[in-house]
């Protein structure tokens, strides 16, 4: 038997971070894939409740560019999505992912009508719900908690940054303090919490991005998604960039920053993503992000070259 040389415990291969695939494989003993859905919700940052226009980087599809067709019933979208995914993984199992816009921004009766068919369907392994920290009232959290008796339920919160000045500049519509309050209420449940971070937001330094990762790593969360900012056509930030380009992270800077972020995230936290997908036809910049696999490979290589792994900076702090 080949001896394992990777020092990271939550890995079956060369990955030095706690991958989503590793978690799902060990949790469900099979390949699990997400099927992205568009339930045709809105967002309080679009309809005037807390703002208009949405986050300045957000597309007209509410960050659900890879999700299904909102004109179709969610279960129809799901069936079509399974068919596509099983061409690649014939024996895989599905997770329903409510991705587009804010998927808890509706009356509780509407949420129940939307989620209940997926909660009760036995062949669905888990459900992931993308939402905002300011759209999780206690009655909604109580209902979602009740769903955990039947399914593993993931709540994905689009934080992007802990820095309120950046959040205000990109029109996020709520504060970091609001996010912290929601995290504490979710932490009293069996719901799984995934937090989204976005690197290269305007005027943020690499140090600020690493600070965001370290701060959320100290919270009672279960997973993190790290994205690179994509400037897209027909978004406010994309239009501003076309008028007056601003500096964005280079590929090398992004890889370095992600490695540093991983080093300050506890090893138990699952890393669901280390870079995002931008629709090529809508992507303005940076074009280097389209080669996603090579970015992930180079993150692996950089971690091996430096002999670092997820959480290693925290371990060194403990031993000081």
């Amino acid at each position: 038997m080949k001896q394992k040389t990777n020092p990271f415990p939550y890995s079956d291969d060369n990955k030095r971070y706690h991958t989503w695939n590793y978690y799902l494989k060990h949790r469900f003993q099979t390949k699990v894939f997400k099927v992205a859905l568009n339930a045709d919700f809105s967002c309080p940052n679009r309809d005037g409740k807390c703002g208009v226009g949405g986050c300045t980087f957000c597309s007209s599809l509410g960050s659900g560019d890879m999700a299904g067709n909102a004109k179709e019933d969610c279960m129809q979208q799901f069936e079509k999505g399974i068919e596509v995914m099983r061409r690649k993984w014939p024996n895989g199992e599905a997770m329903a992912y409510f991705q587009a816009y804010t998927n808890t921004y509706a009356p509780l009766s509407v949420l129940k009508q939307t989620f209940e068919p997926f909660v009760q369907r036995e062949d669905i392994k888990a459900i992931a719900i993308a939402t905002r920290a300011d759209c999780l009232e206690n009655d909604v959290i109580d209902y979602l908690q009740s769903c955990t008796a039947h399914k593993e339920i993931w709540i994905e919160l689009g934080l992007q940054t802990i820095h309120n000045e950046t959040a205000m500049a990109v029109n996020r519509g709520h504060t970091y303090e609001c996010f912290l309050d929601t995290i504490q209420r979710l932490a009293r449940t069996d719901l799984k919490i995934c937090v989204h971070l976005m690197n290269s937001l305007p005027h943020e330094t690499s140090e600020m991005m690493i600070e965001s990762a370290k701060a959320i790593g100290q919270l009672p969360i279960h997973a993190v998604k790290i994205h690179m900012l994509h400037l897209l056509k027909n978004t406010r930030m994309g239009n501003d960039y076309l008028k007056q380009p601003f500096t964005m992270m280079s590929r090398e800077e992004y890889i370095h920053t992600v490695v540093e972020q991983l080093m300050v995230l506890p090893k138990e936290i699952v890393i669901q993503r280390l870079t995002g997908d931008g629709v090529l036809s809508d992507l303005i910049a940076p074009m280097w992000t389209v080669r996603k696999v090579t970015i992930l490979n180079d993150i692996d290589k950089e971690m091996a070259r430096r002999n670092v792994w997820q959480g290693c900076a925290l371990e060194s702090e403990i031993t000081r």
Side-chain angles (χ1 to χ4, degrees), residues 7-20:
F8 189 69
Y10 299 102
S11 178
D12 295 326
D13 51 26
N14 68 320
K15 299 291 186 182
R16 291 173 173 240
Y17 57 92
H18 196 152
T19 69
W20 185 224

Side-chain angles (χ1 to χ4, degrees), residues 37-41 67-68 70 72 74 77 98-101 103 114-115:
L37 306 171
N38 186 336
D40 201 23
F41 289 111
E72 295 179 337
C74 282
Q77 295 178 40
F98 291 86
Q99 181 183 35
Y101 297 102
N103 291 279
T114 301
F115 299 140

Side-chain angles (χ1 to χ4, degrees), residues 104 108 111-112 115-116 119 129 135-150 153 155 182 184-191:
T104 57
L108 182 57
L111 300 182
K112 288 181 176 181
F115 299 140
E116 204 63 32
V119 173
I129 300 168
C135 291
L136 281 164
E137 302 298 334
N138 288 335
D139 61 339
V140 173
I141 292 177
D142 289 343
Y143 164 66
L144 295 174
Q145 164 63 14
S146 73
C147 295
T148 64
H150 308 280
I153 308 292
I155 305 299
T182 299
Q184 294 306 320
R185 289 184 292 121
L186 289 172
R188 294 192 286 267
T189 73
D190 299 306
L191 296 163

Side-chain angles (χ1 to χ4, degrees), residues 134-206:
D134 57 349
C135 291
L136 281 164
E137 302 298 334
N138 288 335
D139 61 339
V140 173
I141 292 177
D142 289 343
Y143 164 66
L144 295 174
Q145 164 63 14
S146 73
C147 295
T148 64
H150 308 280
K151 287 282 186 294
E152 182 166 290
I153 308 292
W154 283 84
I155 305 299
E156 299 198 13
L157 297 176
L159 176 66
Q160 322 308 354
T161 176
I162 68 169
H163 304 286
N164 282 333
E165 60 272 27
T166 306
M168 186 175 296
V170 302
N171 197 41
R172 188 177 67 195
H174 65 79
T175 64
Y176 182 50
E177 290 71 26
C178 170
F179 168 83
L180 291 176
D181 172 74
T182 299
I183 289 290
Q184 294 306 320
R185 289 184 292 121
L186 289 172
R188 294 192 286 267
T189 73
D190 299 306
L191 296 163
K192 301 289 188 181
I193 307 167
C194 177
V195 179
H196 293 213
L197 294 179
M198 184 173 287
N199 289 340
S200 199
L201 290 171
H203 310 299
E204 284 215 345
T205 63
S206 178

